Amino acid sequence: MKMGLVTYAPEKVKGFDLHVYYAKWADGSIFPAAKSMQNDITCFCDAKAIREDPSIVAVSKNGLALRKNRKINVPFDYVCPTNPEYRTKVLDYIKELDSEGIQGVTLNLYHFPDEEFCVCPRCVELWRQSGLNWTEWRAQTITDFLKEAKSLVYGTFAVEMFPDPVLAKERFGIDFESIAPLVKYFHVPLSSRDYFTNYWVDLLTRDFLKVLKKPVVVELSAEMLTAEKADALLKTVAYLSRHDLMGVLLLVHDSENARKVCRFAVNNGAFREWLRKFEFTELTRIVDEWAKLY
Ligand SMILES: [Zn+2]
């Protein structure tokens, strides 16, 4: 199993094999490419673009796809995925990044906000013309976007998803079966403020491994660590290391944040003994490697 990072800093850290850099954020911030790293691009969530042109937001009978709309429950502000100008803007950005010597591109939030979206006049017209039912049209719209994006990427192409293994197609238009041939691996974000309760991480990981027909990496949050949180996080990684995962990614603010996790594991005798006692051989191997570096 590989250990990797999802980071806001464009630099690699020793002891980690996968490096994902947040190049475009849901607030609309855009950063220069991080060379020889996997660059993560937020596609249709863009609070800044929506502030500048409110007409591009996705629409439902319960109102707009905005965080402030309490009739729905969305974590970000969503642009309608069929908006041709915005779509072109995102694809142009992907093309530009790909020309900068990056390792590859991971797309996130490339889908509809939820089942009842989007019923703007353009989407309704496109749906009618398609002759497909609502679920199939929305899934095809998203898969077509991903196909176009992939055609612009020379390196590794991967996608994240809203972590719902069962209703992804109906709710978001994410059709794992038709996406699998496009990607090298799936990146499943299982973010949390802490992992004191962690059965759901194991549960969703098993479900995704069963559903996804490509290698899987799981992302856990490692920001704002206290000693207790770091211990719970590393034990959760230990349980994940028993599954057939391509890797586990830790979300960190910066490189020092990542090194802190390594040092905590290396210097924590009780944790290393716990790994040995319960035969977590894969994570024992990884922490032993970290011990040579930190
Ligand atoms: Zn629309």
Side-chain angles (χ1 to χ4, degrees):
M1 187 182 82
K2 290 179 177 173
M3 284 300 295
L5 297 173
V6 180
T7 175
Y8 297 97
E11 54 190 25
K12 292 187 175 183
V13 180
K14 278 185 192 160
F16 295 91
D17 315 310
L18 293 166
H19 288 87
V20 184
Y21 169 68
Y22 266 127
K24 183 174 182 293
W25 301 359
D27 70 358
S29 305
I30 292 179
F31 298 91
K35 294 191 196 300
S36 71
M37 290 172 80
Q38 189 73 7
N39 283 238
D40 193 296
I41 298 169
T42 301
C43 295
F44 296 119
C45 288
D46 192 328
K48 184 166 168 269
I50 292 171
R51 268 199 313 278
E52 285 165 2
D53 180 5
S55 75
I56 66 174
V57 70
V59 183
S60 78
K61 62 181 187 316
N62 287 319
L64 305 176
L66 299 172
R67 281 164 293 174
K68 65 184 180 189
N69 177 7
R70 301 298 175 201
K71 287 185 174 172
I72 56 169
N73 180 13
V74 290
F76 305 105
D77 299 343
Y78 285 75
V79 177
C80 165
T82 70
N83 182 292
E85 293 82 18
Y86 186 82
R87 214 169 168 276
T88 303
K89 212 170 103 180
V90 174
L91 291 168
D92 285 348
Y93 176 69
I94 292 170
K95 206 169 162 181
E96 195 188 308
L97 272 192
D98 196 68
S99 66
E100 299 271 340
I102 61 171
Q103 186 186 69
V105 162
T106 300
L107 298 186
N108 81 65
L109 297 163
Y110 47 82
H111 48 79
F112 287 94
D114 215 326
E115 198 164 355
E116 65 267 38
F117 291 90
C118 174
V119 292
C120 75
R122 179 186 51 248
C123 282
V124 171
E125 185 52 31
L126 287 169
W127 168 49
R128 288 217 173 102
Q129 283 171 12
S130 75
L132 299 170
N133 70 35
W134 184 237
T135 301
E136 292 301 331
W137 172 73
R138 291 164 75 252
Q140 193 186 74
T141 300
I142 297 311
T143 304
D144 285 349
F145 172 75
L146 292 177
K147 280 183 185 160
E148 200 169 341
K150 186 202 158 67
S151 75
L152 304 171
V153 176
Y154 179 74
T156 304
F157 187 70
V159 296
E160 298 199 36
M161 74 284 296
F162 202 87
D164 183 338
V166 178
L167 299 176
K169 187 172 174 183
E170 287 88 334
R171 288 187 65 190
F172 312 113
I174 302 175
D175 180 358
F176 294 128
E177 261 182 52
S178 62
I179 294 172
L182 304 176
V183 300
K184 188 161 178 208
Y185 64 87
F186 285 99
H187 170 160
V188 179
L190 298 179
S191 312
S192 182
R193 296 169 73 87
D194 64 65
Y195 295 93
F196 295 127
T197 303
N198 66 10
Y199 72 90
W200 59 277
V201 174
D202 207 60
L203 182 156
L204 283 169
T205 299
R206 283 166 193 257
D207 289 351
F208 274 113
L209 280 168
K210 178 138 188 170
V211 166
L212 300 174
K213 303 300 177 213
K214 273 294 171 73
V216 177
V217 302
V218 169
E219 174 190 334
L220 303 177
S221 312
E223 316 138 285
M224 293 175 282
L225 280 186
T226 60
E228 288 81 5
K229 282 189 182 185
D231 189 64
L233 169 72
L234 285 163
K235 284 178 175 161
T236 306
V237 175
Y239 289 117
L240 287 182
S241 72
R242 284 188 170 149
H243 296 301
D244 185 21
L245 289 172
M246 175 182 150
V248 171
L249 303 172
L250 301 179
L251 171 63
V252 293
H253 283 303
D254 54 31
S255 305
E256 182 49 27
N257 187 175
R259 287 190 285 265
K260 234 170 151 174
V261 176
C262 298
R263 282 196 295 264
F264 181 88
V266 168
N267 296 321
N268 189 333
F271 171 65
R272 294 178 76 177
E273 184 47 39
W274 183 86
L275 289 180
R276 264 188 294 274
K277 184 177 168 194
F278 296 107
E279 295 170 14
F280 290 102
T281 48
E282 188 54 9
L283 195 55
T284 299
R285 181 189 65 78
I286 290 165
V287 176
D288 288 349
E289 285 298 313
W290 286 348
K292 294 176 194 162
L293 301 166
Y294 297 100

